[in-house]
């Protein structure tokens, strides 16, 4: 099992809530090679505003879906997506508070 950290842009904090509601996360086409590494059972940690927000289990391999879910970014609809669980842990923890305990970032 691997852990992945996804930092949600402060410019688009609504994208975090959209993903939680849909139990999906998607990436832009330019990040296809990164999402290809994700496997069922891995964990996804979301960070927003300098804080870890929630941890989710990955429930599917990546798939392509171009139906609108998030607002497009430069015409990209974040088409490479994975299914995620409801949060298995939720809360706000400052990244700086844990930085010295993280082995790789």
């Amino acid at each position: 099992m691997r852990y992945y950290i996804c930092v949600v842009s402060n410019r688009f904090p609504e994208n975090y809530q959209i993903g939680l509601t849909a139990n999906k996360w998607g990436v832009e086409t330019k990040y296809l090679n990164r999402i290809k590494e994700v496997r069922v059972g891995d964990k996804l940690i979301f960070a927003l505003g300098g804080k870890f927000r929630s941890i989710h289990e990955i429930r599917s391999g990546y798939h392509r879906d171009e139906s609108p879910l998030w607002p497009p970014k430069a015409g990209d609809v974040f088409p490479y997506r994975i299914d995620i669980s409801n949060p298995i842990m939720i809360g706000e923890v400052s990244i700086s508070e844990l930085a010295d305990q993280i082995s790789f970032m």
Side-chain angles (χ1 to χ4, degrees):
M1 172 182 50
R2 293 173 288 187
Y3 286 83
Y4 295 91
I5 296 174
C6 178
V7 179
V8 180
S9 170
N10 286 331
R11 292 181 18 218
F12 307 103
E14 65 277 7
N15 286 351
Y16 172 67
Q17 192 57 52
I18 292 168
L20 289 184
T21 301
N23 288 95
K24 295 197 178 289
W25 194 251
V27 298
E28 297 169 75
T29 302
K30 67 182 179 182
Y31 295 119
L32 171 60
N33 286 335
R34 289 189 185 169
I35 203 167
K36 280 183 176 181
E37 298 174 10
V38 173
R39 301 285 180 256
V40 172
D42 288 346
K43 303 293 189 268
L44 182 62
I45 303 168
F46 284 107
L48 173 63
K51 296 180 180 183
F52 292 119
R53 298 295 177 109
S54 57
I55 300 175
H56 304 260
E57 184 172 317
I58 294 167
R59 297 281 172 93
S60 74
Y62 84 95
H63 53 278
R64 186 175 177 92
D65 183 349
E66 294 199 27
S67 58
L69 186 56
W70 297 275
K73 179 180 175 191
D76 199 312
V77 295
F78 307 89
Y80 295 100
R81 301 176 185 180
I82 55 173
D83 297 334
I84 59 174
S85 69
N86 287 324
I88 55 176
M89 186 177 257
I90 197 161
E92 294 186 10
V93 178
S94 170
I95 292 173
S96 62
E97 209 175 294
L98 298 176
D100 63 338
Q101 298 175 46
I102 299 170
S103 60
F104 179 80
M105 186 176 263

